[in-house]
Amino acid sequence: MEYVCIVCNYVYDPALGDPESGIEPGTAFKDLPEDWVCPECGVGLDQFEPYED
């Protein structure tokens, strides 16, 4: 499941991960480290919610 940042609308896609932050493709949102932040605006995990298109 994808998650969207409610601040800037960045969508975290587990299939892609976040390689620039060291997050491998296939990493589920629930498995992200607690200190991971949105690569677009820098907010924490608590500012993301499930993405429904």
Side-chain angles (χ1 to χ4, degrees), residues 22-42:
I23 307 299
E24 295 291 325
T27 303
F29 186 82
K30 68 178 181 63
D31 296 329
L32 289 171
E34 288 188 25
D35 63 350
W36 181 82
V37 296
C38 177
E40 296 292 321
C41 70

Side-chain angles (χ1 to χ4, degrees), residues 1-49:
M1 175 184 294
E2 296 174 343
Y3 281 75
V4 62
C5 175
I6 61 173
V7 175
C8 73
N9 292 319
Y10 167 82
V11 176
Y12 175 77
D13 183 347
L16 302 176
D18 181 15
E20 292 181 12
S21 296
I23 307 299
E24 295 291 325
T27 303
F29 186 82
K30 68 178 181 63
D31 296 329
L32 289 171
E34 288 188 25
D35 63 350
W36 181 82
V37 296
C38 177
E40 296 292 321
C41 70
V43 298
L45 296 172
D46 62 333
Q47 297 297 307
F48 280 77
E49 54 189 36

